[in-house]
Amino acid sequence: QVQLVESGGGSVQAGGSLSLSCAASGSIYSTFCMGWFRQAPGKEREGVVVTSGDGSTYYADSVKGRFSLSQDNGKKTVHLLMNTLQPEDTAMYYCAADLDNCYSDTWDDRRWYVFWGQGTQVTVSP
């Protein structure tokens, strides 16, 4: 069993930065996929960025060059730095994890993730 605890988020004006962290506890070892999804009101939950136990990291095209995911040495905490935020980044951000590595053709499919955090709000004003 894996528990995910999110922190960070908040409100910022367009062009600003925010950071999110997700700490995992439980059975995460060398094979895993962990990262962030987001869901805006009235929209589907979409993949933002995930990192895999094999070293792969996948970003949504909409955030490439603006968002950066890092991981602590213990691999149980991931940190998302979000720069140049735009109003369209406004959403509830959810940490997600699975005990298999991420794959390029499925990483952004929410159905592949077993474990989810409670979500943290990110609001970007114009």
Side-chain angles (χ1 to χ4, degrees):
Q1 190 71 9
V2 174
Q3 294 80 41
L4 303 174
V5 178
E6 300 136 334
S7 60
S11 298
V12 68
Q13 288 188 321
S17 299
L18 287 172
S19 62
L20 305 177
S21 292
C22 176
S25 60
S27 306
I28 287 192
Y29 302 108
S30 60
T31 301
F32 67 90
C33 182
M34 184 173 173
W36 294 92
F37 279 66
R38 68 185 181 186
Q39 188 167 18
K43 294 189 176 182
E44 294 291 317
R45 192 171 297 189
E46 63 176 3
V48 177
V49 56
V50 298
T51 190
S52 185
D54 63 4
S56 303
T57 300
Y58 300 98
Y59 287 89
D61 288 343
S62 60
V63 306
K64 283 180 181 177
R66 301 188 299 123
F67 289 14
S68 177
L69 188 71
S70 62
Q71 194 173 37
D72 69 3
N73 289 334
K75 298 186 177 181
K76 289 195 173 184
T77 300
V78 293
H79 307 282
L80 179 62
L81 176 60
M82 304 180 290
N83 294 320
T84 321
L85 282 161
Q86 300 301 315
E88 51 266 34
D89 295 315
T90 295
M92 185 71 78
Y93 282 69
Y94 296 91
C95 185
D98 191 68
L99 299 182
D100 192 4
N101 284 327
C102 313
Y103 299 98
S104 60
D105 57 343
T106 59
W107 75 268
D108 57 350
D109 186 342
R110 61 176 294 184
R111 296 172 297 177
W112 287 99
Y113 296 83
V114 175
F115 308 105
W116 292 88
Q118 293 299 307
T120 185
Q121 180 67 37
V122 170
T123 302
V124 185
S125 57

mmCIF file of all heavy atoms in Angstrom, residues 11-18 66 83-90 123-126:
data_model
loop_
_atom_site.group_PDB
_atom_site.id
_atom_site.type_symbol
_atom_site.label_atom_id
_atom_site.label_comp_id
_atom_site.label_asym_id
_atom_site.label_seq_id
_atom_site.Cartn_x
_atom_site.Cartn_y
_atom_site.Cartn_z
ATOM 1 N N SER A 11 -2.039 30.442 -4.814
ATOM 2 C CA SER A 11 -2.469 31.386 -5.852
ATOM 3 C C SER A 11 -1.308 32.267 -6.268
ATOM 4 O O SER A 11 -0.476 32.651 -5.435
ATOM 5 C CB SER A 11 -3.601 32.264 -5.313
ATOM 6 O OG SER A 11 -4.719 31.485 -4.972
ATOM 7 N N VAL A 12 -1.284 32.607 -7.532
ATOM 8 C CA VAL A 12 -0.201 33.426 -8.063
ATOM 9 C C VAL A 12 -0.728 34.161 -9.297
ATOM 10 O O VAL A 12 -1.701 33.719 -9.924
ATOM 11 C CB VAL A 12 1.017 32.536 -8.421
ATOM 12 C CG1 VAL A 12 0.711 31.637 -9.601
ATOM 13 C CG2 VAL A 12 2.263 33.371 -8.671
ATOM 14 N N GLN A 13 -0.088 35.241 -9.635
ATOM 15 C CA GLN A 13 -0.450 35.942 -10.861
ATOM 16 C C GLN A 13 0.255 35.311 -12.056
ATOM 17 O O GLN A 13 1.288 34.646 -11.905
ATOM 18 C CB GLN A 13 -0.069 37.415 -10.756
ATOM 19 C CG GLN A 13 -0.954 38.196 -9.799
ATOM 20 C CD GLN A 13 -0.689 39.691 -9.867
ATOM 21 O OE1 GLN A 13 0.456 40.115 -9.994
ATOM 22 N NE2 GLN A 13 -1.747 40.486 -9.786
ATOM 23 N N ALA A 14 -0.296 35.523 -13.227
ATOM 24 C CA ALA A 14 0.290 34.981 -14.448
ATOM 25 C C ALA A 14 1.755 35.406 -14.561
ATOM 26 O O ALA A 14 2.104 36.553 -14.276
ATOM 27 C CB ALA A 14 -0.489 35.460 -15.661
ATOM 28 N N GLY A 15 2.575 34.455 -14.955
ATOM 29 C CA GLY A 15 4.002 34.689 -15.051
ATOM 30 C C GLY A 15 4.774 34.297 -13.805
ATOM 31 O O GLY A 15 6.009 34.235 -13.839
ATOM 32 N N GLY A 16 4.056 34.013 -12.742
ATOM 33 C CA GLY A 16 4.696 33.650 -11.488
ATOM 34 C C GLY A 16 5.032 32.178 -11.405
ATOM 35 O O GLY A 16 4.861 31.422 -12.362
ATOM 36 N N SER A 17 5.521 31.786 -10.238
ATOM 37 C CA SER A 17 5.964 30.410 -10.009
ATOM 38 C C SER A 17 5.350 29.850 -8.734
ATOM 39 O O SER A 17 5.078 30.596 -7.784
ATOM 40 C CB SER A 17 7.487 30.356 -9.883
ATOM 41 O OG SER A 17 8.116 30.803 -11.061
ATOM 42 N N LEU A 18 5.160 28.567 -8.746
ATOM 43 C CA LEU A 18 4.722 27.827 -7.566
ATOM 44 C C LEU A 18 5.419 26.479 -7.560
ATOM 45 O O LEU A 18 5.903 26.019 -8.609
ATOM 46 C CB LEU A 18 3.210 27.601 -7.572
ATOM 47 C CG LEU A 18 2.296 28.784 -7.285
ATOM 48 C CD1 LEU A 18 0.842 28.397 -7.520
ATOM 49 C CD2 LEU A 18 2.484 29.290 -5.855
ATOM 50 N N ARG A 66 8.418 24.843 -19.004
ATOM 51 C CA ARG A 66 7.945 25.680 -17.900
ATOM 52 C C ARG A 66 7.934 24.938 -16.573
ATOM 53 O O ARG A 66 8.225 25.527 -15.529
ATOM 54 C CB ARG A 66 6.525 26.190 -18.190
ATOM 55 C CG ARG A 66 6.400 27.008 -19.455
ATOM 56 C CD ARG A 66 5.015 27.640 -19.567
ATOM 57 N NE ARG A 66 3.939 26.653 -19.621
ATOM 58 C CZ ARG A 66 2.924 26.605 -18.763
ATOM 59 N NH1 ARG A 66 2.839 27.482 -17.773
ATOM 60 N NH2 ARG A 66 1.974 25.700 -18.906
ATOM 61 N N ASN A 83 7.005 27.188 -13.420
ATOM 62 C CA ASN A 83 7.379 28.556 -13.777
ATOM 63 C C ASN A 83 6.478 29.094 -14.885
ATOM 64 O O ASN A 83 5.831 28.316 -15.596
ATOM 65 C CB ASN A 83 8.836 28.606 -14.235
ATOM 66 C CG ASN A 83 9.821 28.286 -13.126
ATOM 67 O OD1 ASN A 83 9.629 28.710 -11.987
ATOM 68 N ND2 ASN A 83 10.873 27.555 -13.455
ATOM 69 N N THR A 84 6.501 30.383 -15.035
ATOM 70 C CA THR A 84 5.733 31.056 -16.093
ATOM 71 C C THR A 84 4.298 30.541 -16.122
ATOM 72 O O THR A 84 3.753 30.169 -17.173
ATOM 73 C CB THR A 84 6.402 30.870 -17.462
ATOM 74 O OG1 THR A 84 7.826 30.945 -17.336
ATOM 75 C CG2 THR A 84 5.949 31.945 -18.441
ATOM 76 N N LEU A 85 3.681 30.516 -14.973
ATOM 77 C CA LEU A 85 2.317 29.986 -14.880
ATOM 78 C C LEU A 85 1.337 30.870 -15.633
ATOM 79 O O LEU A 85 1.483 32.104 -15.680
ATOM 80 C CB LEU A 85 1.911 29.860 -13.418
ATOM 81 C CG LEU A 85 2.506 28.635 -12.700
ATOM 82 C CD1 LEU A 85 2.458 28.825 -11.195
ATOM 83 C CD2 LEU A 85 1.765 27.380 -13.120
ATOM 84 N N GLN A 86 0.336 30.235 -16.206
ATOM 85 C CA GLN A 86 -0.696 30.903 -16.987
ATOM 86 C C GLN A 86 -2.065 30.558 -16.408
ATOM 87 O O GLN A 86 -2.224 29.532 -15.737
ATOM 88 C CB GLN A 86 -0.614 30.476 -18.444
ATOM 89 C CG GLN A 86 0.707 30.801 -19.110
ATOM 90 C CD GLN A 86 1.021 32.298 -19.083
ATOM 91 O OE1 GLN A 86 0.166 33.136 -19.366
ATOM 92 N NE2 GLN A 86 2.276 32.629 -18.736
ATOM 93 N N PRO A 87 -3.063 31.384 -16.659
ATOM 94 C CA PRO A 87 -4.405 31.075 -16.142
ATOM 95 C C PRO A 87 -4.896 29.683 -16.523
ATOM 96 O O PRO A 87 -5.614 29.050 -15.740
ATOM 97 C CB PRO A 87 -5.270 32.169 -16.767
ATOM 98 C CG PRO A 87 -4.337 33.326 -16.921
ATOM 99 C CD PRO A 87 -3.014 32.710 -17.301
ATOM 100 N N GLU A 88 -4.482 29.191 -17.666
ATOM 101 C CA GLU A 88 -4.928 27.853 -18.076
ATOM 102 C C GLU A 88 -4.270 26.735 -17.269
ATOM 103 O O GLU A 88 -4.645 25.571 -17.414
ATOM 104 C CB GLU A 88 -4.668 27.634 -19.569
ATOM 105 C CG GLU A 88 -3.255 27.957 -20.022
ATOM 106 C CD GLU A 88 -3.120 29.386 -20.551
ATOM 107 O OE1 GLU A 88 -3.818 30.301 -20.038
ATOM 108 O OE2 GLU A 88 -2.312 29.575 -21.485
ATOM 109 N N ASP A 89 -3.312 27.069 -16.443
ATOM 110 C CA ASP A 89 -2.725 26.087 -15.522
ATOM 111 C C ASP A 89 -3.553 25.933 -14.249
ATOM 112 O O ASP A 89 -3.258 25.054 -13.430
ATOM 113 C CB ASP A 89 -1.306 26.490 -15.143
ATOM 114 C CG ASP A 89 -0.355 26.474 -16.322
ATOM 115 O OD1 ASP A 89 -0.384 25.499 -17.090
ATOM 116 O OD2 ASP A 89 0.415 27.445 -16.471
ATOM 117 N N THR A 90 -4.551 26.766 -14.090
ATOM 118 C CA THR A 90 -5.413 26.683 -12.917
ATOM 119 C C THR A 90 -6.140 25.350 -12.889
ATOM 120 O O THR A 90 -6.795 24.961 -13.855
ATOM 121 C CB THR A 90 -6.433 27.828 -12.931
ATOM 122 O OG1 THR A 90 -5.737 29.072 -12.790
ATOM 123 C CG2 THR A 90 -7.433 27.671 -11.795
ATOM 124 N N THR A 123 -4.083 28.136 -8.456
ATOM 125 C CA THR A 123 -4.900 29.154 -9.106
ATOM 126 C C THR A 123 -3.988 30.244 -9.667
ATOM 127 O O THR A 123 -3.173 30.806 -8.931
ATOM 128 C CB THR A 123 -5.905 29.779 -8.132
ATOM 129 O OG1 THR A 123 -6.737 28.748 -7.594
ATOM 130 C CG2 THR A 123 -6.765 30.816 -8.835
ATOM 131 N N VAL A 124 -4.131 30.517 -10.953
ATOM 132 C CA VAL A 124 -3.318 31.531 -11.610
ATOM 133 C C VAL A 124 -4.242 32.613 -12.136
ATOM 134 O O VAL A 124 -5.116 32.344 -12.963
ATOM 135 C CB VAL A 124 -2.490 30.935 -12.759
ATOM 136 C CG1 VAL A 124 -1.561 32.000 -13.344
ATOM 137 C CG2 VAL A 124 -1.694 29.730 -12.291
ATOM 138 N N SER A 125 -4.062 33.812 -11.648
ATOM 139 C CA SER A 125 -4.915 34.928 -12.078
ATOM 140 C C SER A 125 -4.239 35.696 -13.216
ATOM 141 O O SER A 125 -3.017 35.751 -13.287
ATOM 142 C CB SER A 125 -5.196 35.853 -10.902
ATOM 143 O OG SER A 125 -3.987 36.326 -10.353
ATOM 144 N N PRO A 126 -5.051 36.281 -14.100
ATOM 145 C CA PRO A 126 -4.491 37.017 -15.263
ATOM 146 C C PRO A 126 -3.628 38.203 -14.828
ATOM 147 O O PRO A 126 -3.838 38.771 -13.771
ATOM 148 C CB PRO A 126 -5.738 37.472 -16.031
ATOM 149 C CG PRO A 126 -6.832 36.563 -15.560
ATOM 150 C CD PRO A 126 -6.512 36.227 -14.134
#
